Amino acid sequence: MKKKLLSVILATAMVATMVGCGSATSEPAAAPAAEEAAPAKEAAPAEEVAEEPAAEEASDDLIVVGYAQVGAESDWRTANTESFKTTFTEENGYQLIFDDAQQKQENQIKAIRSFIQQEVDYIVVAPVVETGWETVLEEAKEAGIPVILSDRMMDVSDDSLYECWVGGNFVKEGSDAAAWLKTYLEGQGKGEEEINIVTLQGTIGASAQVGRTDGFASGMQDNWVMLDKQTGEFTQSKGQEVMESFLKKYPDIDVVVCENDNMAFGAIDAIKAAGKTCGPEGDITIISFDAVAAAFDSMIAGDMNADFECNPLHGPRVAEIIQKLQAGESVEKIQYVDEAYFDTSMDVAAIKETRAY
Ligand code: AHR
């Protein structure tokens, strides 16, 4: 690998000041979520990793990987960061340069440019939103650095600008959630009733938002009314705030679709504070996405009805892709991971014990 000592020292300082879903169906080597090893240690802050002296002393043999992460907005994101930090270690033959973009695309573009300047071997991006990447990807291509997309997708006219993408099928997650709701309501004898729904959307323009919104819309029934949709930016606090406003505006909400678990936790708090109840025995049905450990607690407590998995353990999958590219092998362009769903008709307490995040 190329020697980058000086540029690493300069650029890590720059990065430090700049920022303040199962196995791949097309790549069957990765293990399902339940079988993957739990993260071994707590994630270090971005600055800590960027300034770590060991990185500056990295040997020429290490593969240098720059990871432009979305942020730290959710439990899912924390598990995803941990998956990269525990995979891309010096012991495993890598030097990881990690950047937390704080949910801002402009920060990710700056990070990618910094990685190019440092002459990293691979750039990995979990893009905040889908559009607006052509220019910086052209710069990476010009520099001869392969770009791997993980988690969310980019919408670019020329797909040769990136090597491949690995992540969850967000559209399927959304349509599975609608299909689940149809079956659930029919089981309750409410298949023909008018059902009032609100949606807490993720960051607008993120493929996790676009896919889940479109997927759920594709399964809407004639007797279902989507009262409102608004972004909660994938965070608990914003999810709670938006749910509070929905509850004031709409007195008869039957179902809340939360496009991630942290917004669901905020919504549940808002519902309880408003004197209402939720979950299988409550007034309001809660559907969520991600299936992180705290969401299992929420189902066990009877607050959440169903959760559609989005697997965050992409570190080993991306490492496998890099190893194939290193060996001169071709990789599948689009790699969806297998994902399940969970609801309170299952033994969610037992299932939680088998999970890695
Ligand atoms: O892109 C994956 C989504 O991003 C997860 O659902 C969410 O929790 C995270 O913020």
Side-chain angles (χ1 to χ4, degrees), residues 170-171 173-179 197 199 201 209-222 224 226 229 257 259 289:
F170 302 119
V171 176
E173 291 169 13
S175 60
D176 284 353
I197 306 172
T199 300
Q201 295 177 291
Q209 175 275 311
V210 175
R212 288 167 188 165
T213 298
D214 290 353
F216 192 86
S218 72
M220 283 287 288
Q221 303 297 299
D222 290 344
W224 296 2
M226 185 59 73
K229 295 190 286 243
V257 178
E259 289 184 354
F289 298 89

Side-chain angles (χ1 to χ4, degrees), residues 5-329:
L5 180 58
L6 179 61
S7 60
V8 165
I9 293 168
L10 292 173
T12 48
M14 187 177 142
V15 170
T17 53
M18 202 165 61
V19 294
C21 288
S23 63
T25 48
S26 51
E27 298 292 325
E35 294 165 15
E36 288 181 74
K41 62 180 173 63
E42 290 217 343
E47 294 82 354
E48 202 177 302
V49 170
E51 290 170 354
E52 205 167 329
E56 295 163 15
E57 290 158 15
S59 97
D60 284 357
D61 298 335
L62 297 178
I63 299 171
V64 183
V65 176
Y67 183 30
Q69 173 62 293
V70 168
E73 73 282 3
S74 62
D75 289 15
W76 188 100
R77 190 63 55 195
T78 302
N80 179 257
T81 291
E82 196 63 24
S83 176
F84 275 82
K85 287 185 175 175
T86 54
T87 301
F88 290 95
T89 61
E90 292 196 12
E91 297 72 46
N92 290 342
Y94 298 98
Q95 179 194 340
L96 178 66
I97 308 175
F98 179 87
D99 185 85
D100 174 339
Q102 301 184 334
Q103 296 224 72
K104 292 191 173 72
Q105 184 181 29
E106 62 265 32
N107 287 346
Q108 283 196 309
I109 290 173
K110 279 183 204 162
I112 295 167
R113 291 201 166 117
S114 163
F115 297 154
I116 294 169
Q117 188 192 7
Q118 292 174 77
E119 299 177 27
V120 300
D121 297 305
Y122 293 90
I123 293 173
V124 182
V125 190
V128 175
V129 290
E130 292 187 337
T131 57
W133 298 101
E134 265 89 356
T135 304
V136 75
L137 289 192
E138 291 282 4
E139 291 168 24
K141 190 175 181 181
E142 184 84 358
I145 302 173
V147 174
I148 296 165
L149 307 184
S150 177
D151 168 26
R152 302 178 187 173
M153 282 196 176
M154 288 183 185
D155 181 7
V156 286
S157 50
D158 174 6
D159 72 3
S160 76
L161 289 172
Y162 63 91
E163 289 293 323
C164 63
W165 166 87
V166 60
N169 188 333
F170 302 119
V171 176
K172 182 173 184 303
E173 291 169 13
S175 60
D176 284 353
W180 176 90
L181 181 61
K182 181 172 182 293
T183 305
Y184 179 73
L185 291 170
E186 285 167 355
Q188 293 201 319
K190 295 180 179 172
E192 305 299 321
E193 280 184 22
E194 184 169 289
I195 301 295
N196 292 324
I197 306 172
V198 293
T199 300
L200 298 175
Q201 295 177 291
T203 304
I204 299 301
S207 46
Q209 175 275 311
V210 175
R212 288 167 188 165
T213 298
D214 290 353
F216 192 86
S218 72
M220 283 287 288
Q221 303 297 299
D222 290 344
N223 55 316
W224 296 2
V225 181
M226 185 59 73
L227 296 173
D228 215 333
K229 295 190 286 243
Q230 210 172 301
T231 183
E233 290 163 10
F234 285 128
T235 69
Q236 183 160 342
S237 58
K238 187 74 179 167
Q240 180 167 349
E241 188 186 312
V242 174
M243 192 64 214
E244 284 165 1
S245 75
F246 281 166
L247 287 162
K248 284 182 191 139
K249 204 164 161 194
Y250 307 107
D252 294 317
I253 296 170
D254 299 305
V255 178
V256 187
V257 178
C258 308
E259 289 184 354
N260 85 341
D261 282 340
N262 288 80
M263 292 192 295
F265 305 148
I268 290 165
D269 288 346
I271 289 165
K272 289 182 177 176
K276 298 200 173 198
T277 56
C278 52
E281 306 295 330
D283 308 319
I284 300 176
T285 297
I286 305 285
I287 297 173
S288 186
F289 298 89
D290 283 355
V292 297
F296 278 84
D297 293 336
S298 198
M299 285 190 278
I300 293 164
D303 293 330
M304 183 185 287
N305 296 69
D307 207 335
F308 292 79
E309 183 182 40
C310 180
N311 189 299
L313 306 178
H314 296 320
R317 298 180 184 119
V318 171
E320 188 183 333
I321 289 166
I322 288 175
Q323 289 305 322
K324 284 188 173 177
L325 293 173
Q326 285 290 107
E329 294 173 27

